[in-house]
Amino acid sequence: MNAPDRNNRPLRPIQALPDQLISQIAAGEVIERPSAVVKELLENALDAGATQITVRLEQGGVKRIAITDNGRGIAPDQMPLALARHATSKIASLTDLENVGTLGFRGEALASIASVAQLTLTTRTADATHAWEITGSQDGNVVPASGAPGTTIDVQDLYFNTPARRKFLKSEQTEYGHCAEVVRRIALARPDVTFSLTHNGKTVDHWNVGEFAKRSAHILGDEFANARLPLDEAAGPLRLHGFVGLPTASKARADSQYFYVNGRFVRDKLLTHAVRAAYQDVLHGDRYPSYALSLDLDPSLVDVNVHPSKIEVRFRDSRSVHQFVFHAVSRALAQTSATSFGNAPAPQAAGSGPLPWMRDQQQTAFGAPLRPNFSGGGNVGVAQNTADYGAFFRPSVQTDLAMESTPGADATNGANGINGVSAFTAQIAAAGAQSLPADDFPLGFALAQLHGIYVLAQNSKGLVVVDMHAAHERILYEQLKNALDDNAMFVQPLLIPVTFYADAIEVGTVEEHQETLSALGFDIAAMSPTTLAVRAVPALLKNADAQTLARDVLRDVREFGGSRVLLERRNELLGTLACHTAVRANRSLTVPEMNALLRQMEATERADQCNHGRPTWSQLALSDLDKLFLRGQ
């Protein structure tokens, strides 16, 4: 006699389970809720070559799910097999399973659904004179029926025979929401197919065949459509294409993130991490980016058979996929509105010299080169620059204070934001808006400064408002990153070292991490057990408070370690340093300095957002201003 189990029930002998129970167990894995039925049936419809699909739901899909397509249909003699377990036309060998090219392939969906609901399959092939119908399981009779070429699967009373499962379903609206989301995911992946969704007899959504751009705008909304960047990159067997949203299209929830692998919607931790990492420079806090991306690769390089719902995948070379997605999204985000010049090549980072296409215009739009002795960085240059403006700007618009910097510093240490404008950038700043093609400069030309915080500029569209601190912070941040990446972190020795009191831990950090500090452009030495001296700082940060910079660097190095700061915490540290150095509010700028800021924004990657994800500038179109003042009404 068998011993009882932990609930004091006698254990039964081993026996084969009945087919109905096996199907119900499988249904528990595959058919979690009505939306899972919708997903399985839609995937089968697409695999059948459908170009028109209608989804009809009642009571959130619990009462009824009916999906009609115009695909190839099923021959009458194949219909019972379609309802049998582990029967499919999509794979026949292990090789097929390792090279899955279809959405559905398990051969379990219809059998599982039929075991927990009332299922009717009506189908007609293109060469048939009429449709055929089968109800229930594979043991049902195939009878003649009416219907157009294609297939209709009608699922009613889900979980009618498993009430324990049905009581765990949520409200009608909640279940409908899950079903609608499944339809949206699949419709977004296939803009070449017409989809229609009705609920309780009312048409909720309808998407005609169109371009992916239009379909994604329809599904993700106008906010995403107005703030998205196209992406299409390929490397070896990998291709990533679609749209990534600007930080202004971010959400408080991750409900606008659509990622597809070979047309299949997935939620993959590796891919999500790669995209999130690409956004780290422009999106901070608890906000989530919006995107619609598709990764195409050889089916043999990805395993889609790792989860019953087929929503997870496993890549053969996950590291390469992660790096490819990360860099592709990063490059797309780098080309933001302020760096877009029509069809011109992508701009270089600020401080790296004029772009080739810009150099070609130097002798035309900008006139003759500036004098060789023009410094471009100090007060002398700014004073001359202001004089060169002539009558382009009224004296009342110009400000009296020129920014402090060391004349000629650019030649030794590279550009330094507004303070270190290259001769070429200064030349642009010195030119009047009347002599330059406005369309070539998205941010236009400076008019004035508002409350010492905002720069007002005019471009071909209307008025541009720039947050000068946020913009300058981004410029410096990108310059610091580029300098560190290129091992070109130029150092500015201090004429008089800055000394300050330090505790034993700070002194120990300096002595232990000299290599890291040097890589970051700092020369800090211990003068005594309680005194540190800052003898040099990165040239890009030469106008910042040396003691504050040193304490910030030492804090991060002490907390995270030298190697980790350079590898993992580098961007956070550089962002902090840039923030301390950027031009502050209530700092008066001359018009040439404001124009220099605009030009450097246009030559800086990710210039639309500061390091904290806030916008650096905003556009007010002439039409918006006309509406404000009721012009033409």
Side-chain angles (χ1 to χ4, degrees):
M1 181 176 176
N2 292 325
D5 66 9
R6 67 177 59 186
N7 295 318
N8 205 32
R9 294 176 303 190
L11 294 177
R12 300 183 178 91
I14 298 174
Q15 58 185 343
L17 296 176
D19 286 347
Q20 176 71 5
L21 183 56
I22 293 174
S23 295
Q24 289 176 336
I25 293 173
E29 297 179 353
V30 179
I31 311 302
E32 299 175 356
R33 62 197 322 160
S35 60
V37 176
V38 174
K39 174 180 180 293
E40 296 289 345
L41 299 185
L42 282 178
E43 288 180 347
N44 282 343
L46 292 172
D47 285 342
T51 59
Q52 293 182 343
I53 300 177
T54 299
V55 180
R56 297 189 298 275
L57 305 174
E58 292 182 16
Q59 296 181 16
V62 178
K63 180 63 178 176
R64 186 186 188 197
I65 300 171
I67 296 184
T68 301
D69 67 65
N70 66 342
R72 289 185 292 272
I74 305 171
D77 61 330
Q78 294 277 295
M79 292 173 67
L81 271 177
L83 297 177
R85 290 186 297 111
H86 307 304
T88 178
S89 63
K90 302 170 186 178
I91 58 172
S93 66
L94 181 60
T95 301
D96 293 338
L97 188 60
E98 293 175 345
N99 293 271
V100 173
T102 56
L103 297 174
F105 57 87
R106 291 176 176 271
E108 298 177 26
L110 294 184
S112 298
I113 296 169
S115 70
V116 293
Q118 303 288 354
L119 183 147
T120 301
L121 167 62
T122 306
T123 184
R124 176 182 171 184
T125 57
D127 57 353
T129 57
H130 60 80
W132 296 86
E133 184 176 282
I134 185 173
T135 300
S137 66
Q138 67 182 96
D139 298 325
N141 294 323
V142 178
V143 298
S146 61
T151 300
T152 296
I153 298 181
D154 196 337
V155 179
Q156 298 192 35
D157 295 324
L158 188 62
Y159 298 130
F160 78 97
N161 56 356
T162 53
R165 293 296 305 274
R166 186 159 182 165
K167 72 178 183 180
F168 281 101
L169 296 178
K170 304 300 182 182
S171 67
E172 174 182 328
Q173 197 59 32
T174 298
E175 295 300 339
Y176 164 73
H178 286 289
C179 291
E181 176 61 19
V182 166
V183 177
R184 283 193 292 268
R185 291 173 184 171
I186 294 178
L188 181 58
R190 294 296 301 271
D192 58 325
V193 177
T194 296
F195 289 86
S196 183
L197 171 63
T198 68
H199 185 223
N200 293 336
K202 179 182 179 181
T203 299
V204 180
D205 272 312
H206 182 83
W207 300 285
N208 288 320
V209 172
E211 296 181 349
F212 180 70
K214 185 176 181 180
R215 180 70 60 88
S216 62
H218 191 166
I219 292 177
L220 275 76
D222 292 339
E223 184 179 4
F224 177 80
N226 295 328
R228 64 185 178 182
L229 299 166
L231 188 159
D232 194 342
E233 285 205 23
L238 305 175
R239 181 194 174 205
L240 184 68
H241 54 100
F243 293 98
V244 291
L246 291 170
T248 52
S250 64
K251 299 288 191 71
R253 298 186 302 167
D255 58 356
S256 293
Q257 299 181 347
Y258 295 87
F259 210 117
Y260 302 86
V261 174
N262 289 345
R264 182 191 308 278
F265 176 83
V266 299
R267 277 211 178 99
D268 183 79
K269 292 180 180 178
L270 179 137
L271 297 174
T272 301
H273 182 272
V275 176
R276 183 73 180 180
Y279 272 90
Q280 69 177 353
D281 269 358
V282 293
L283 190 63
H284 295 268
D286 297 327
R287 305 290 294 179
Y288 293 89
S290 300
Y291 51 82
L293 293 171
S294 182
L295 177 66
D296 299 336
L297 72 165
D298 189 319
S300 65
L301 300 178
V302 57
D303 184 1
V304 299
N305 194 28
V306 297
H307 191 276
S309 66
K310 296 173 291 188
I311 203 170
E312 299 177 8
V313 294
R314 182 183 295 117
F315 297 101
R316 179 173 296 180
D317 188 352
S318 57
R319 178 176 176 81
S320 295
V321 171
H322 182 281
Q323 289 299 99
F324 170 69
V325 172
F326 167 72
H327 288 295
V329 175
S330 295
R331 281 188 286 268
L333 291 173
Q335 306 307 314
T336 52
S337 303
T339 59
S340 299
F341 292 84
N343 296 321
Q348 303 172 20
S352 58
L355 307 176
W357 69 274
M358 286 181 172
R359 294 193 201 99
D360 294 340
Q361 299 182 21
Q362 278 188 269
Q363 299 300 321
T364 56
F366 306 146
L370 293 177
R371 295 177 296 279
N373 62 352
F374 182 80
S375 69
N379 299 336
V380 176
V382 171
Q384 181 63 54
N385 207 7
T386 305
D388 289 343
Y389 258 79
F392 282 127
F393 296 94
R394 300 188 307 276
S396 60
V397 176
Q398 299 180 3
T399 55
D400 297 325
L401 296 179
M403 300 193 67
E404 301 169 2
S405 64
T406 304
D410 290 354
T412 305
N413 298 318
N416 179 23
I418 302 174
N419 300 329
V421 184
S422 67
F424 173 75
T425 308
Q427 182 179 355
I428 303 176
Q434 299 175 12
S435 64
L436 294 174
D439 290 341
D440 286 343
F441 302 97
L443 298 183
F445 298 91
L447 300 173
Q449 190 178 14
L450 181 64
H451 288 293
I453 301 175
Y454 300 105
V455 171
L456 306 181
Q458 173 182 312
N459 65 359
S460 59
K461 297 180 180 179
L463 179 67
V464 172
V465 183
V466 177
D467 182 333
M468 66 183 193
H469 172 77
H472 193 207
E473 184 179 352
R474 167 58 70 179
I475 292 169
L476 287 174
Y477 176 49
E478 294 296 332
Q479 290 175 339
L480 287 168
K481 285 198 304 179
N482 291 329
L484 198 56
D485 288 340
D486 298 337
N487 294 318
M489 186 69 78
F490 294 105
V491 173
Q492 175 67 60
L494 302 182
L495 185 61
I496 301 176
V498 175
T499 61
F500 61 93
Y501 171 82
D503 58 33
I505 295 178
E506 289 177 320
V507 173
T509 301
V510 168
E511 294 174 345
E512 184 179 351
H513 296 286
Q514 275 296 322
E515 186 176 344
T516 298
L517 295 174
S518 297
L520 291 169
F522 288 89
D523 181 0
I524 306 175
M527 306 302 293
S528 76
T530 59
T531 305
L532 289 177
V534 183
R535 300 185 297 199
V537 297
L540 293 168
L541 308 179
K542 64 180 181 291
N543 293 317
D545 182 77
Q547 179 179 333
T548 301
L549 293 179
R551 287 193 182 278
D552 285 337
V553 170
L554 293 178
R555 183 188 63 245
D556 273 21
V557 170
R558 179 177 69 248
E559 183 175 354
F560 300 103
S563 60
R564 189 177 172 195
V565 161
L566 291 178
L567 292 176
E568 300 177 21
R569 300 281 302 178
R570 185 196 74 159
N571 289 350
E572 289 91 334
L573 174 59
L574 297 183
T576 300
L577 299 179
C579 184
H580 282 312
T581 312
V583 60
R584 295 295 179 180
N586 299 317
R587 181 70 174 270
S588 297
L589 302 181
T590 64
V591 170
E593 288 168 337
M594 288 186 272
N595 276 310
L597 175 63
L598 299 178
R599 300 294 78 81
Q600 286 201 322
M601 288 176 66
E602 291 166 346
T604 299
E605 293 181 344
R606 305 173 186 86
D608 287 355
Q609 286 79 34
C610 75
N611 311 340
H612 311 292
R614 295 185 294 104
T616 59
W617 65 283
S618 181
Q619 175 80 59
L620 286 174
L622 281 175
S623 58
D624 297 329
L625 295 173
D626 289 342
K627 291 178 182 177
L628 183 64
F629 293 100
L630 305 180
R631 289 180 59 87
Q633 298 185 22

